[in-house]
Short mmCIF file of all heavy atoms in Angstrom, two decimals:
data_model
loop_
_atom_site.label_atom_id
_atom_site.label_comp_id
_atom_site.label_asym_id
_atom_site.label_seq_id
_atom_site.Cartn_x
_atom_site.Cartn_y
_atom_site.Cartn_z
N MET A 266 -11.01 -33.43 18.08
CA MET A 266 -10.38 -33.21 16.72
C MET A 266 -9.77 -31.81 16.70
O MET A 266 -10.43 -30.82 17.03
CB MET A 266 -11.34 -33.36 15.64
CG MET A 266 -10.77 -33.31 14.18
SD MET A 266 -11.96 -33.67 13.00
CE MET A 266 -11.60 -32.26 11.93
N THR A 267 -8.47 -31.75 16.38
CA THR A 267 -7.74 -30.46 16.29
C THR A 267 -8.03 -29.82 14.88
O THR A 267 -7.94 -30.54 13.89
CB THR A 267 -6.32 -30.69 16.49
OG1 THR A 267 -6.06 -31.46 17.81
CG2 THR A 267 -5.53 -29.41 16.51
N LYS A 268 -8.22 -28.64 14.87
CA LYS A 268 -8.37 -27.84 13.61
C LYS A 268 -7.02 -27.77 12.90
O LYS A 268 -5.99 -27.54 13.73
CB LYS A 268 -9.00 -26.49 13.81
CG LYS A 268 -10.38 -26.46 14.21
CD LYS A 268 -10.87 -25.06 14.18
CE LYS A 268 -12.45 -24.94 14.31
NZ LYS A 268 -12.91 -23.67 14.10
N LYS A 269 -7.15 -27.89 11.63
CA LYS A 269 -5.87 -27.79 10.77
C LYS A 269 -5.53 -26.32 10.70
O LYS A 269 -6.32 -25.48 10.62
CB LYS A 269 -6.12 -28.36 9.51
CG LYS A 269 -4.83 -28.41 8.60
CD LYS A 269 -4.98 -29.37 7.44
CE LYS A 269 -6.18 -29.14 6.67
NZ LYS A 269 -6.03 -29.75 5.30
N SER A 270 -4.27 -26.00 10.73
CA SER A 270 -3.69 -24.62 10.56
C SER A 270 -2.37 -24.73 9.83
O SER A 270 -1.82 -25.78 9.67
CB SER A 270 -3.56 -24.01 11.86
OG SER A 270 -2.60 -24.63 12.65
N HIS A 271 -1.99 -23.66 9.26
CA HIS A 271 -0.76 -23.63 8.51
C HIS A 271 0.11 -22.45 9.21
O HIS A 271 -0.32 -21.49 9.64
CB HIS A 271 -0.99 -23.22 6.97
CG HIS A 271 -1.66 -24.33 6.36
ND1 HIS A 271 -3.09 -24.48 6.29
CD2 HIS A 271 -1.20 -25.43 5.68
CE1 HIS A 271 -3.34 -25.48 5.49
NE2 HIS A 271 -2.26 -26.09 5.23
N HIS A 272 1.48 -22.67 9.11
CA HIS A 272 2.36 -21.83 9.78
C HIS A 272 3.56 -21.47 8.89
O HIS A 272 4.05 -22.38 8.15
CB HIS A 272 3.06 -22.53 11.03
CG HIS A 272 2.03 -22.90 12.03
ND1 HIS A 272 1.91 -22.13 13.17
CD2 HIS A 272 1.06 -23.89 12.12
CE1 HIS A 272 0.93 -22.65 13.97
NE2 HIS A 272 0.34 -23.75 13.27
N VAL A 273 3.95 -20.22 8.73
CA VAL A 273 5.06 -19.68 8.12
C VAL A 273 6.14 -19.60 9.17
O VAL A 273 6.04 -18.71 10.01
CB VAL A 273 4.85 -18.35 7.36
CG1 VAL A 273 6.24 -17.97 6.59
CG2 VAL A 273 3.78 -18.59 6.30
N VAL A 274 7.22 -20.43 9.06
CA VAL A 274 8.17 -20.45 10.16
C VAL A 274 9.65 -20.39 9.49
O VAL A 274 9.96 -20.73 8.35
CB VAL A 274 8.10 -21.91 10.83
CG1 VAL A 274 6.74 -22.03 11.54
CG2 VAL A 274 8.30 -23.05 9.94
N PRO A 275 10.58 -19.92 10.40
CA PRO A 275 11.84 -19.75 9.91
C PRO A 275 12.52 -21.20 9.85
O PRO A 275 12.16 -22.13 10.61
CB PRO A 275 12.58 -18.93 11.00
CG PRO A 275 11.81 -19.21 12.18
CD PRO A 275 10.43 -19.34 11.68
N SER A 276 13.49 -21.41 8.84
CA SER A 276 14.17 -22.66 8.73
C SER A 276 15.63 -22.28 8.45
O SER A 276 16.11 -21.21 8.43
CB SER A 276 13.67 -23.43 7.53
OG SER A 276 13.96 -22.78 6.39
N GLU A 277 16.48 -23.39 8.31
CA GLU A 277 17.86 -23.11 8.21
C GLU A 277 18.18 -22.38 6.96
O GLU A 277 19.18 -21.58 6.82
CB GLU A 277 18.57 -24.50 8.03
CG GLU A 277 18.60 -25.30 9.36
CD GLU A 277 19.27 -26.66 9.18
OE1 GLU A 277 19.91 -26.91 8.19
OE2 GLU A 277 19.05 -27.41 10.15
N ASN A 278 17.45 -22.51 5.87
CA ASN A 278 17.81 -21.90 4.62
C ASN A 278 16.73 -20.79 4.23
O ASN A 278 16.67 -20.53 3.02
CB ASN A 278 17.82 -22.94 3.52
CG ASN A 278 19.00 -23.93 3.79
OD1 ASN A 278 20.09 -23.56 4.17
ND2 ASN A 278 18.73 -25.16 3.51
N GLY A 279 15.93 -20.30 5.09
CA GLY A 279 14.96 -19.29 4.76
C GLY A 279 13.79 -19.50 5.65
O GLY A 279 13.65 -19.53 6.78
N TRP A 280 12.61 -19.72 4.85
CA TRP A 280 11.34 -19.79 5.49
C TRP A 280 10.49 -20.99 4.93
O TRP A 280 10.63 -21.25 3.72
CB TRP A 280 10.54 -18.48 5.28
CG TRP A 280 11.17 -17.39 5.98
CD1 TRP A 280 12.12 -16.60 5.49
CD2 TRP A 280 10.90 -16.93 7.31
NE1 TRP A 280 12.54 -15.63 6.51
CE2 TRP A 280 11.71 -15.86 7.68
CE3 TRP A 280 9.91 -17.28 8.29
CZ2 TRP A 280 11.58 -15.21 8.79
CZ3 TRP A 280 9.86 -16.60 9.40
CH2 TRP A 280 10.78 -15.59 9.77
N CYS A 281 9.63 -21.56 5.66
CA CYS A 281 8.89 -22.70 5.19
C CYS A 281 7.38 -22.54 5.71
O CYS A 281 7.13 -22.01 6.69
CB CYS A 281 9.44 -23.99 5.81
SG CYS A 281 11.10 -24.48 5.08
N VAL A 282 6.57 -23.18 4.84
CA VAL A 282 5.14 -23.26 5.17
C VAL A 282 4.95 -24.80 5.67
O VAL A 282 5.31 -25.59 5.02
CB VAL A 282 4.25 -23.05 4.01
CG1 VAL A 282 2.79 -23.15 4.31
CG2 VAL A 282 4.53 -21.69 3.39
N LYS A 283 4.33 -24.85 6.88
CA LYS A 283 4.10 -26.20 7.41
C LYS A 283 2.66 -26.26 7.87
O LYS A 283 2.04 -25.36 8.21
CB LYS A 283 4.98 -26.44 8.73
CG LYS A 283 6.45 -26.56 8.31
CD LYS A 283 7.23 -27.00 9.58
CE LYS A 283 8.67 -27.35 9.26
NZ LYS A 283 9.49 -27.77 10.34
N GLU A 284 2.11 -27.48 7.84
CA GLU A 284 0.88 -27.77 8.29
C GLU A 284 0.79 -28.27 9.74
O GLU A 284 1.83 -29.03 10.00
CB GLU A 284 0.17 -28.78 7.31
CG GLU A 284 -1.29 -28.99 7.73
CD GLU A 284 -1.92 -30.06 6.60
OE1 GLU A 284 -1.53 -31.20 6.75
OE2 GLU A 284 -2.58 -29.66 5.78
N SER A 285 -0.08 -27.81 10.54
CA SER A 285 -0.03 -28.32 11.96
C SER A 285 -0.06 -29.74 12.01
O SER A 285 -0.77 -30.51 11.31
CB SER A 285 -1.17 -27.71 12.80
OG SER A 285 -2.40 -28.08 12.20
N GLY A 286 0.78 -30.43 12.92
CA GLY A 286 0.83 -31.80 13.06
C GLY A 286 1.64 -32.59 12.03
O GLY A 286 1.74 -33.70 12.06
N ASN A 287 2.25 -31.82 11.11
CA ASN A 287 3.11 -32.40 10.20
C ASN A 287 4.52 -31.76 10.18
O ASN A 287 4.65 -30.57 10.08
CB ASN A 287 2.48 -32.25 8.78
CG ASN A 287 3.16 -33.04 7.66
OD1 ASN A 287 4.21 -33.63 7.98
ND2 ASN A 287 2.64 -33.01 6.44
N SER A 288 5.57 -32.53 10.36
CA SER A 288 6.82 -31.96 10.46
C SER A 288 7.46 -31.68 9.11
O SER A 288 8.41 -30.95 9.02
CB SER A 288 7.79 -32.92 11.25
OG SER A 288 7.88 -34.21 10.54
N ASN A 289 6.97 -32.26 8.03
CA ASN A 289 7.54 -32.02 6.73
C ASN A 289 6.88 -30.66 6.17
O ASN A 289 5.73 -30.57 6.13
CB ASN A 289 7.21 -33.18 5.78
CG ASN A 289 7.88 -34.44 6.13
OD1 ASN A 289 8.94 -34.41 6.63
ND2 ASN A 289 7.22 -35.59 5.97
N PRO A 290 7.80 -29.82 5.63
CA PRO A 290 7.25 -28.57 5.13
C PRO A 290 6.47 -28.76 3.80
O PRO A 290 6.82 -29.69 3.02
CB PRO A 290 8.46 -27.77 4.82
CG PRO A 290 9.60 -28.63 4.76
CD PRO A 290 9.26 -29.85 5.63
N LEU A 291 5.46 -28.03 3.52
CA LEU A 291 4.72 -28.02 2.28
C LEU A 291 5.45 -27.27 1.21
O LEU A 291 5.38 -27.54 0.05
CB LEU A 291 3.39 -27.44 2.50
CG LEU A 291 2.44 -28.10 3.45
CD1 LEU A 291 1.11 -27.31 3.72
CD2 LEU A 291 2.17 -29.54 2.97
N PHE A 292 6.18 -26.25 1.64
CA PHE A 292 6.88 -25.30 0.74
C PHE A 292 7.93 -24.56 1.40
O PHE A 292 7.80 -24.17 2.60
CB PHE A 292 5.85 -24.29 0.15
CG PHE A 292 6.59 -23.19 -0.75
CD1 PHE A 292 6.86 -23.47 -2.09
CD2 PHE A 292 6.84 -22.03 -0.16
CE1 PHE A 292 7.41 -22.54 -2.81
CE2 PHE A 292 7.47 -21.03 -1.00
CZ PHE A 292 7.68 -21.28 -2.36
N CYS A 293 9.13 -24.33 0.91
CA CYS A 293 10.18 -23.60 1.42
C CYS A 293 10.74 -22.57 0.48
O CYS A 293 10.65 -22.72 -0.78
CB CYS A 293 11.37 -24.53 1.90
SG CYS A 293 11.02 -25.49 3.31
N SER A 294 11.18 -21.43 0.96
CA SER A 294 11.69 -20.35 0.10
C SER A 294 12.83 -19.61 0.95
O SER A 294 12.94 -19.69 2.11
CB SER A 294 10.53 -19.38 -0.10
OG SER A 294 11.00 -18.23 -0.71
N ARG A 295 13.61 -18.86 0.20
CA ARG A 295 14.64 -18.09 0.84
C ARG A 295 14.02 -16.81 1.49
O ARG A 295 14.66 -16.33 2.34
CB ARG A 295 15.68 -17.63 -0.15
CG ARG A 295 16.55 -18.80 -0.66
CD ARG A 295 17.52 -18.21 -1.63
NE ARG A 295 18.31 -19.33 -2.27
CZ ARG A 295 19.62 -19.53 -1.99
NH1 ARG A 295 20.23 -18.76 -1.25
NH2 ARG A 295 20.13 -20.53 -2.51
N THR A 296 12.85 -16.40 0.96
CA THR A 296 12.31 -15.16 1.56
C THR A 296 11.00 -15.34 2.36
O THR A 296 10.17 -16.33 1.97
CB THR A 296 11.95 -14.13 0.40
OG1 THR A 296 10.96 -14.57 -0.39
CG2 THR A 296 13.24 -13.79 -0.33
N LYS A 297 10.72 -14.59 3.38
CA LYS A 297 9.54 -14.82 4.18
C LYS A 297 8.29 -14.30 3.29
O LYS A 297 7.27 -14.85 3.38
CB LYS A 297 9.64 -13.91 5.38
CG LYS A 297 8.40 -14.02 6.28
CD LYS A 297 8.53 -13.35 7.60
CE LYS A 297 7.40 -13.55 8.59
NZ LYS A 297 7.61 -12.84 9.72
N VAL A 298 8.44 -13.24 2.51
CA VAL A 298 7.41 -12.79 1.64
C VAL A 298 6.86 -13.84 0.67
O VAL A 298 5.65 -14.07 0.58
CB VAL A 298 7.89 -11.58 0.72
CG1 VAL A 298 6.81 -11.16 -0.30
CG2 VAL A 298 8.30 -10.43 1.69
N GLU A 299 7.76 -14.59 0.01
CA GLU A 299 7.42 -15.68 -0.95
C GLU A 299 6.62 -16.77 -0.10
O GLU A 299 5.63 -17.21 -0.48
CB GLU A 299 8.52 -16.22 -1.67
CG GLU A 299 8.02 -17.24 -2.67
CD GLU A 299 9.17 -17.76 -3.58
OE1 GLU A 299 10.41 -17.43 -3.31
OE2 GLU A 299 8.91 -18.53 -4.56
N ALA A 300 7.18 -17.20 1.02
CA ALA A 300 6.63 -18.24 1.86
C ALA A 300 5.26 -17.78 2.36
O ALA A 300 4.21 -18.58 2.40
CB ALA A 300 7.55 -18.58 2.98
N THR A 301 5.15 -16.57 2.76
CA THR A 301 3.85 -15.95 3.25
C THR A 301 2.83 -15.96 2.20
O THR A 301 1.61 -16.42 2.35
CB THR A 301 4.03 -14.65 3.82
OG1 THR A 301 4.90 -14.63 4.85
CG2 THR A 301 2.77 -13.97 4.22
N ASN A 302 3.14 -15.64 0.89
CA ASN A 302 2.26 -15.66 -0.22
C ASN A 302 1.71 -16.97 -0.50
O ASN A 302 0.51 -17.24 -0.71
CB ASN A 302 2.84 -14.96 -1.49
CG ASN A 302 3.03 -13.54 -1.30
OD1 ASN A 302 2.43 -12.85 -0.44
ND2 ASN A 302 4.04 -13.01 -2.08
N VAL A 303 2.59 -17.97 -0.56
CA VAL A 303 2.20 -19.33 -0.81
C VAL A 303 1.35 -19.82 0.42
O VAL A 303 0.39 -20.50 0.21
CB VAL A 303 3.46 -20.26 -1.02
CG1 VAL A 303 3.08 -21.71 -1.05
CG2 VAL A 303 4.10 -19.84 -2.30
N GLY A 304 1.81 -19.69 1.62
CA GLY A 304 1.07 -20.00 2.79
C GLY A 304 -0.35 -19.50 2.81
O GLY A 304 -1.29 -20.12 3.11
N ARG A 305 -0.47 -18.17 2.40
CA ARG A 305 -1.78 -17.46 2.39
C ARG A 305 -2.74 -18.22 1.33
O ARG A 305 -3.97 -18.47 1.60
CB ARG A 305 -1.71 -15.98 2.14
CG ARG A 305 -3.01 -15.29 2.25
CD ARG A 305 -2.84 -13.79 2.21
NE ARG A 305 -2.50 -13.45 3.54
CZ ARG A 305 -1.34 -12.80 4.03
NH1 ARG A 305 -0.47 -12.46 3.11
NH2 ARG A 305 -1.11 -12.57 5.24
N THR A 306 -2.15 -18.50 0.18
CA THR A 306 -2.92 -19.16 -0.83
C THR A 306 -3.39 -20.57 -0.39
O THR A 306 -4.51 -20.91 -0.64
CB THR A 306 -2.11 -19.27 -2.16
OG1 THR A 306 -1.69 -17.99 -2.64
CG2 THR A 306 -2.86 -19.92 -3.20
N ILE A 307 -2.52 -21.32 0.24
CA ILE A 307 -2.89 -22.59 0.77
C ILE A 307 -4.01 -22.47 1.76
O ILE A 307 -4.99 -23.15 1.78
CB ILE A 307 -1.72 -23.40 1.32
CG1 ILE A 307 -0.67 -23.77 0.17
CG2 ILE A 307 -2.05 -24.62 2.09
CD1 ILE A 307 0.62 -24.25 0.76
N SER A 308 -3.81 -21.57 2.63
CA SER A 308 -4.69 -21.35 3.80
C SER A 308 -6.06 -20.86 3.41
O SER A 308 -7.09 -21.39 3.74
CB SER A 308 -4.10 -20.21 4.80
OG SER A 308 -5.01 -20.20 5.84
N GLN A 309 -6.15 -20.01 2.33
CA GLN A 309 -7.38 -19.55 1.78
C GLN A 309 -8.12 -20.78 1.12
O GLN A 309 -9.37 -20.88 1.29
CB GLN A 309 -7.08 -18.49 0.84
CG GLN A 309 -6.81 -17.20 1.51
CD GLN A 309 -6.38 -16.05 0.54
OE1 GLN A 309 -5.98 -16.38 -0.56
NE2 GLN A 309 -6.30 -14.79 1.03
N SER A 310 -7.38 -21.58 0.35
CA SER A 310 -8.01 -22.65 -0.36
C SER A 310 -8.52 -23.71 0.59
O SER A 310 -9.56 -24.39 0.27
CB SER A 310 -7.11 -23.22 -1.45
OG SER A 310 -6.02 -23.96 -0.82
N GLN A 311 -7.89 -23.90 1.67
CA GLN A 311 -8.22 -24.96 2.68
C GLN A 311 -9.12 -24.38 3.85
O GLN A 311 -9.36 -25.13 4.72
CB GLN A 311 -6.96 -25.70 3.21
CG GLN A 311 -6.33 -26.44 2.01
CD GLN A 311 -5.28 -27.33 2.48
OE1 GLN A 311 -5.12 -27.66 3.73
NE2 GLN A 311 -4.37 -27.74 1.60
N HIS A 312 -9.29 -23.08 3.81
CA HIS A 312 -10.08 -22.40 4.77
C HIS A 312 -9.52 -22.72 6.27
O HIS A 312 -10.24 -23.12 7.23
CB HIS A 312 -11.58 -22.86 4.86
CG HIS A 312 -12.25 -22.61 3.49
ND1 HIS A 312 -12.40 -21.40 2.96
CD2 HIS A 312 -12.49 -23.50 2.50
CE1 HIS A 312 -12.90 -21.45 1.80
NE2 HIS A 312 -12.99 -22.72 1.41
N THR A 313 -8.27 -22.37 6.45
CA THR A 313 -7.61 -22.70 7.75
C THR A 313 -6.97 -21.34 8.32
O THR A 313 -7.13 -20.31 7.68
CB THR A 313 -6.41 -23.64 7.58
OG1 THR A 313 -5.43 -23.08 6.65
CG2 THR A 313 -6.86 -24.91 6.92
N GLU A 314 -6.52 -21.43 9.52
CA GLU A 314 -5.82 -20.29 10.09
C GLU A 314 -4.37 -20.26 9.59
O GLU A 314 -3.82 -21.29 9.37
CB GLU A 314 -5.82 -20.44 11.66
CG GLU A 314 -7.11 -20.53 12.36
CD GLU A 314 -7.73 -19.15 12.42
OE1 GLU A 314 -7.02 -18.14 12.65
OE2 GLU A 314 -8.93 -19.03 12.24
N LEU A 315 -3.77 -19.09 9.48
CA LEU A 315 -2.47 -18.94 8.96
C LEU A 315 -1.76 -18.19 10.05
O LEU A 315 -2.10 -17.11 10.40
CB LEU A 315 -2.34 -18.15 7.67
CG LEU A 315 -0.90 -17.91 7.14
CD1 LEU A 315 -0.22 -19.20 6.81
CD2 LEU A 315 -0.99 -16.90 6.00
N TYR A 316 -0.71 -18.76 10.58
CA TYR A 316 0.21 -18.20 11.59
C TYR A 316 1.46 -17.73 11.00
O TYR A 316 2.24 -18.59 10.37
CB TYR A 316 0.41 -19.19 12.76
CG TYR A 316 -0.83 -19.55 13.52
CD1 TYR A 316 -1.64 -20.72 13.23
CD2 TYR A 316 -1.28 -18.76 14.67
CE1 TYR A 316 -2.68 -20.98 13.83
CE2 TYR A 316 -2.34 -19.10 15.23
CZ TYR A 316 -3.13 -20.18 15.01
OH TYR A 316 -4.23 -20.55 15.57
N LEU A 317 1.86 -16.58 11.16
CA LEU A 317 3.14 -16.03 10.69
C LEU A 317 4.05 -15.82 11.88
O LEU A 317 3.77 -15.02 12.79
CB LEU A 317 3.01 -14.66 9.92
CG LEU A 317 1.82 -14.70 8.83
CD1 LEU A 317 1.68 -13.34 8.27
CD2 LEU A 317 2.44 -15.57 7.76
N HIS A 318 5.14 -16.55 11.82
CA HIS A 318 6.12 -16.50 12.95
C HIS A 318 7.31 -15.52 12.60
O HIS A 318 7.53 -15.13 11.43
CB HIS A 318 6.70 -17.83 13.12
CG HIS A 318 5.74 -18.90 13.65
ND1 HIS A 318 5.83 -19.47 14.86
CD2 HIS A 318 4.72 -19.50 12.93
CE1 HIS A 318 4.86 -20.30 14.95
NE2 HIS A 318 4.10 -20.37 13.85
N ASN A 319 7.91 -14.92 13.65
CA ASN A 319 9.01 -14.08 13.52
C ASN A 319 10.34 -14.90 13.39
O ASN A 319 10.30 -16.20 13.46
CB ASN A 319 9.13 -13.05 14.55
CG ASN A 319 9.31 -13.52 15.97
OD1 ASN A 319 9.75 -14.67 16.10
ND2 ASN A 319 8.97 -12.87 16.98
N ALA A 320 11.47 -14.25 13.24
CA ALA A 320 12.71 -14.93 13.11
C ALA A 320 13.15 -15.81 14.25
O ALA A 320 14.00 -16.63 14.21
CB ALA A 320 13.78 -13.90 12.76
N TYR A 321 12.50 -15.63 15.43
CA TYR A 321 12.79 -16.33 16.60
C TYR A 321 11.85 -17.45 16.91
O TYR A 321 11.88 -18.17 17.86
CB TYR A 321 12.73 -15.40 17.89
CG TYR A 321 13.74 -14.27 17.70
CD1 TYR A 321 13.30 -12.92 17.49
CD2 TYR A 321 15.13 -14.48 17.90
CE1 TYR A 321 14.15 -11.87 17.29
CE2 TYR A 321 16.03 -13.44 17.78
CZ TYR A 321 15.54 -12.20 17.40
OH TYR A 321 16.43 -11.13 17.40
N GLY A 322 10.88 -17.69 15.93
CA GLY A 322 9.94 -18.76 16.00
C GLY A 322 8.58 -18.37 16.81
O GLY A 322 7.74 -19.23 16.82
N GLN A 323 8.51 -17.16 17.25
CA GLN A 323 7.30 -16.73 17.98
C GLN A 323 6.26 -16.37 16.97
O GLN A 323 6.51 -15.79 15.96
CB GLN A 323 7.67 -15.61 18.94
CG GLN A 323 8.69 -16.02 20.03
CD GLN A 323 9.21 -14.81 20.68
OE1 GLN A 323 9.42 -13.77 20.04
NE2 GLN A 323 9.41 -14.91 21.94
N ILE A 324 5.01 -16.57 17.27
CA ILE A 324 3.87 -16.20 16.48
C ILE A 324 3.85 -14.67 16.51
O ILE A 324 3.63 -14.04 17.62
CB ILE A 324 2.54 -16.72 16.99
CG1 ILE A 324 2.60 -18.27 16.80
CG2 ILE A 324 1.41 -16.11 16.19
CD1 ILE A 324 1.43 -18.92 17.40
N ALA A 325 3.91 -14.06 15.39
CA ALA A 325 3.86 -12.59 15.25
C ALA A 325 2.47 -12.05 14.66
O ALA A 325 2.08 -10.97 14.95
CB ALA A 325 4.95 -12.11 14.29
N ARG A 326 1.81 -12.92 13.96
CA ARG A 326 0.62 -12.49 13.31
C ARG A 326 -0.23 -13.69 13.00
O ARG A 326 0.26 -14.73 12.76
CB ARG A 326 0.87 -11.64 12.10
CG ARG A 326 -0.42 -11.12 11.50
CD ARG A 326 -0.01 -10.16 10.34
NE ARG A 326 -1.16 -9.93 9.60
CZ ARG A 326 -1.18 -9.47 8.30
NH1 ARG A 326 -0.11 -9.18 7.71
NH2 ARG A 326 -2.33 -9.27 7.59
N LYS A 327 -1.58 -13.58 12.92
CA LYS A 327 -2.47 -14.68 12.61
C LYS A 327 -3.54 -14.13 11.60
O LYS A 327 -4.06 -13.06 11.88
CB LYS A 327 -3.11 -15.13 13.94
CG LYS A 327 -4.03 -16.32 13.78
CD LYS A 327 -4.58 -16.86 15.03
CE LYS A 327 -5.76 -16.19 15.47
NZ LYS A 327 -6.49 -16.86 16.61
N ASP A 328 -3.77 -14.87 10.63
CA ASP A 328 -4.86 -14.54 9.67
C ASP A 328 -5.87 -15.67 9.67
O ASP A 328 -5.44 -16.86 9.57
CB ASP A 328 -4.39 -14.34 8.22
CG ASP A 328 -3.54 -13.09 8.15
OD1 ASP A 328 -3.59 -12.20 9.00
OD2 ASP A 328 -2.75 -13.02 7.20
N SER A 329 -7.16 -15.40 9.66
CA SER A 329 -8.20 -16.34 9.60
C SER A 329 -8.75 -16.52 8.28
O SER A 329 -9.28 -15.52 7.73
CB SER A 329 -9.34 -16.05 10.67
OG SER A 329 -10.34 -17.04 10.63
N HIS A 330 -8.68 -17.61 7.63
CA HIS A 330 -9.25 -17.89 6.28
C HIS A 330 -10.34 -18.94 6.42
O HIS A 330 -10.87 -19.42 5.44
CB HIS A 330 -8.22 -18.24 5.40
CG HIS A 330 -7.16 -17.25 5.11
ND1 HIS A 330 -5.89 -17.36 5.57
CD2 HIS A 330 -7.31 -16.04 4.69
CE1 HIS A 330 -5.21 -16.29 5.22
NE2 HIS A 330 -6.01 -15.47 4.71
N GLY A 331 -10.76 -19.23 7.56
CA GLY A 331 -11.81 -20.32 7.76
C GLY A 331 -13.04 -19.67 8.46
O GLY A 331 -13.30 -18.54 8.34
N HIS A 332 -13.73 -20.51 9.25
CA HIS A 332 -14.85 -20.00 9.95
C HIS A 332 -14.36 -19.35 11.15
O HIS A 332 -13.76 -19.84 11.98
CB HIS A 332 -15.76 -21.19 10.44
CG HIS A 332 -16.81 -20.85 11.21
ND1 HIS A 332 -17.91 -20.16 10.93
CD2 HIS A 332 -17.05 -21.03 12.61
CE1 HIS A 332 -18.63 -19.89 11.88
NE2 HIS A 332 -18.17 -20.40 12.99
N ASP A 333 -14.68 -18.07 11.21
CA ASP A 333 -14.22 -17.18 12.26
C ASP A 333 -15.46 -17.11 13.31
O ASP A 333 -16.43 -16.57 12.97
CB ASP A 333 -13.84 -15.78 11.75
CG ASP A 333 -13.37 -14.94 12.83
OD1 ASP A 333 -13.26 -15.34 13.94
OD2 ASP A 333 -12.86 -13.75 12.50
N PRO A 334 -15.21 -17.67 14.46
CA PRO A 334 -16.33 -17.60 15.49
C PRO A 334 -16.61 -16.16 15.95
O PRO A 334 -17.58 -15.90 16.63
CB PRO A 334 -15.81 -18.39 16.54
CG PRO A 334 -14.32 -18.47 16.49
CD PRO A 334 -14.03 -18.33 14.99
N TYR A 335 -15.66 -15.28 15.71
CA TYR A 335 -15.84 -13.84 16.21
C TYR A 335 -15.54 -12.85 14.95
O TYR A 335 -14.62 -12.16 14.98
CB TYR A 335 -14.83 -13.48 17.29
CG TYR A 335 -15.06 -14.35 18.52
CD1 TYR A 335 -14.13 -15.49 18.81
CD2 TYR A 335 -16.20 -14.38 19.35
CE1 TYR A 335 -14.33 -16.34 19.83
CE2 TYR A 335 -16.31 -15.21 20.35
CZ TYR A 335 -15.45 -16.20 20.66
OH TYR A 335 -15.61 -17.00 21.63
N PRO A 336 -16.48 -12.95 14.02
CA PRO A 336 -16.19 -12.10 12.84
C PRO A 336 -16.33 -10.50 13.13
O PRO A 336 -17.03 -10.21 14.15
CB PRO A 336 -17.18 -12.45 11.74
CG PRO A 336 -18.36 -13.03 12.64
CD PRO A 336 -17.65 -13.63 13.84
N PRO A 337 -15.71 -9.61 12.46
CA PRO A 337 -16.00 -8.12 12.76
C PRO A 337 -17.38 -7.89 12.60
O PRO A 337 -18.18 -8.54 11.85
CB PRO A 337 -15.13 -7.53 11.53
CG PRO A 337 -14.20 -8.66 11.12
CD PRO A 337 -14.81 -9.87 11.40
N LYS A 338 -17.89 -6.83 13.18
CA LYS A 338 -19.33 -6.46 13.25
C LYS A 338 -19.85 -6.24 11.88
O LYS A 338 -20.95 -6.54 11.55
CB LYS A 338 -19.51 -5.34 14.06
CG LYS A 338 -19.36 -5.67 15.56
CD LYS A 338 -19.67 -4.45 16.52
CE LYS A 338 -19.48 -4.82 17.92
NZ LYS A 338 -19.70 -3.72 18.88
N ASP A 339 -19.00 -5.69 11.03
CA ASP A 339 -19.45 -5.37 9.62
C ASP A 339 -19.50 -6.57 8.73
O ASP A 339 -20.06 -6.59 7.59
CB ASP A 339 -18.53 -4.29 9.00
CG ASP A 339 -17.16 -4.78 8.71
OD1 ASP A 339 -16.67 -5.63 9.52
OD2 ASP A 339 -16.49 -4.24 7.97
N LYS A 340 -19.02 -7.75 9.22
CA LYS A 340 -19.05 -9.01 8.45
C LYS A 340 -20.23 -9.95 8.83
O LYS A 340 -20.32 -11.07 8.37
CB LYS A 340 -17.82 -9.69 8.55
CG LYS A 340 -16.59 -8.92 7.99
CD LYS A 340 -16.63 -8.63 6.55
CE LYS A 340 -15.51 -7.68 6.12
NZ LYS A 340 -15.61 -7.24 4.86
N LYS A 341 -20.95 -9.68 9.86
CA LYS A 341 -21.93 -10.54 10.31
C LYS A 341 -23.11 -10.60 9.48
O LYS A 341 -23.48 -9.72 8.68
CB LYS A 341 -22.48 -10.09 11.75
CG LYS A 341 -21.43 -10.47 12.80
CD LYS A 341 -22.01 -10.19 14.15
CE LYS A 341 -20.98 -10.51 15.19
NZ LYS A 341 -21.41 -10.28 16.53
#
């Protein structure tokens, strides 16, 4: 079973939040900031990984809002 994750990706008219394995966007915005805020809220509520892509579609950053198998030492 593949873990669900959410991605903030560039689109023709701005930025979209997509769920892994689903081609239809959950949310689209003209700005990356707004799409990131919505994506982060969704990811936190569903305890998933959030991948932030750059303008070329490459993963630029990743946030973990789920079970982290390697938490920071101060969070154990």
